[in-house]
Amino acid sequence: MRSLAAEHVAVPATLKTAVASQIRKLIADVWYTLQLSDSGAIRIAARVIATIAREAARTVPGVRAAFGRSTHSTTASPAGKATLRHHHPHAAAGVLGRTAVVDLAIAAHYGSQLDAIAREVQQRAIAELRAKTGLHDVTVNVTIDDVIT
């Protein structure tokens, strides 16, 4: 198996061309998700992705306010790193193809279990984005910036 793994495999020129074409399509509109099918392309703006996530966060008990926020963490996940250059300036959401990373800042009710609220915000936002946009690779970063009494 090691000798087979070390063996050089030539990539057909047509495959290289097809892959390059898909990459060009993927990065043509960096502020939009992109889903290609035989019927055409579906694009959803990053600001729409951020709005869906914010609204989902506001439905979590204990959340008083939810805002989009750009954190640009140095310990970002691979999806976060892939979308970092593709963050919409006003959306706090990075999109690239069928991948989305959303940064949310929330204010929670004082006395609540903050980590549980943050996990619920992540779960609801991811579920809503998957259900409403068809995206599968979704990351939601939650920062609790304030507590309200």
Side-chain angles (χ1 to χ4, degrees):
M1 191 171 336
R2 289 182 191 197
S3 65
L4 287 175
E7 200 173 292
H8 178 72
V9 177
V11 178
T14 55
L15 178 60
K16 288 180 184 178
T17 302
V19 169
S21 173
Q22 290 297 319
I23 291 171
R24 280 191 293 280
K25 288 178 186 176
L26 183 67
I27 61 173
D29 288 321
V30 297
W31 308 127
Y32 296 86
T33 67
L34 178 63
Q35 298 176 37
L36 297 175
S37 71
D38 292 339
S39 303
I42 298 172
R43 291 180 177 83
I44 302 171
R47 67 182 177 275
V48 172
I49 301 297
T51 299
I52 292 168
R54 279 194 314 268
E55 292 305 314
R58 290 182 179 130
T59 67
V60 174
V63 172
R64 296 298 183 156
F67 305 98
R69 166 186 166 149
S70 185
T71 58
H72 300 300
S73 170
T74 56
T75 59
S77 69
K81 289 177 183 175
T83 62
L84 189 61
R85 288 185 12 241
H86 304 286
H87 267 75
H88 190 281
H90 304 295
V95 295
L96 184 61
R98 294 182 57 109
T99 299
V101 177
V102 180
D103 295 330
L104 292 173
I106 64 170
H109 178 70
Y110 181 80
S112 299
Q113 187 176 355
L114 300 177
D115 60 328
I117 289 174
R119 272 193 298 279
E120 181 66 21
V121 165
Q122 284 178 318
Q123 291 169 358
R124 284 198 192 184
I126 290 169
E128 284 292 304
L129 286 168
R130 287 180 176 164
K132 292 184 176 177
T133 66
L135 293 172
H136 296 289
D137 190 8
V138 179
T139 301
V140 176
N141 302 311
V142 178
T143 302
I144 301 174
D145 268 346
D146 202 359
V147 291
I148 299 174
T149 55

